[in-house]
Amino acid sequence: MEKEFNILKNINLCNEAIEFTGFLSKGQKTILKYILAFNDNGGVTADTIKNSSEISRQAANIHLKHLMDRGFVNREKNRVYTYYPKQRKIQELVESYQISKTLK
């Protein structure tokens, strides 16, 4: 049985894998890393992301939509929309990164 991947215990590896991928734009990488770092099981709101970076609300929403379309984050509505990382997709990204490192 495969051991469950823990994002917080592997945050540095996750960040390296996110930076390595050519699949995401710079803004998407920044937002995804923020969601991973500050996801305390309560999710992260778009306002929190906007206030912590120097991007507009519209840009944050566009990046979040692309991250949802690509399967990296989920969105739930609890009075406001909150965003959560998709554990399996992040794990796949890390595994792909590790494989590519061994091939070099």
Side-chain angles (χ1 to χ4, degrees):
M1 176 174 256
E2 188 174 315
K3 193 175 181 183
E4 185 174 332
F5 183 77
N6 186 313
I7 291 174
L8 290 178
K9 288 183 179 177
N10 296 290
I11 193 73
N12 290 334
L13 183 58
C14 291
N15 287 337
E16 287 175 26
I18 290 167
E19 279 303 316
F20 179 78
T21 187
F23 191 60
L24 301 171
S25 72
K26 181 180 176 185
Q28 292 165 9
K29 290 176 182 181
T30 301
I31 289 175
L32 184 56
K33 288 191 294 186
Y34 183 84
I35 291 171
L36 293 180
F38 294 99
N39 175 40
D40 58 357
N41 295 326
V44 178
T45 66
D47 279 339
T48 304
I49 293 168
K50 181 190 83 61
N51 292 337
S52 70
S53 61
E54 295 190 12
I55 61 173
S56 68
R57 183 179 179 95
Q58 182 180 7
N61 287 335
I62 289 170
H63 290 314
L64 286 165
K65 181 183 180 329
H66 288 293
L67 288 168
M68 286 188 304
D69 292 345
R70 293 182 174 152
F72 287 97
V73 297
N74 280 332
R75 178 175 77 172
E76 293 180 11
K77 187 168 185 174
N78 302 322
R79 291 189 291 189
V80 295
Y81 285 114
T82 53
Y83 297 87
Y84 303 87
K86 279 192 176 177
Q87 180 89 12
R88 182 67 197 142
K89 189 70 172 185
I90 301 300
Q91 184 176 353
E92 289 172 5
L93 185 67
V94 168
E95 289 170 357
S96 175
Y97 170 65
Q98 289 175 319
I99 290 169
S100 68
K101 277 179 46 176
T102 62
L103 295 176
K104 286 186 175 184

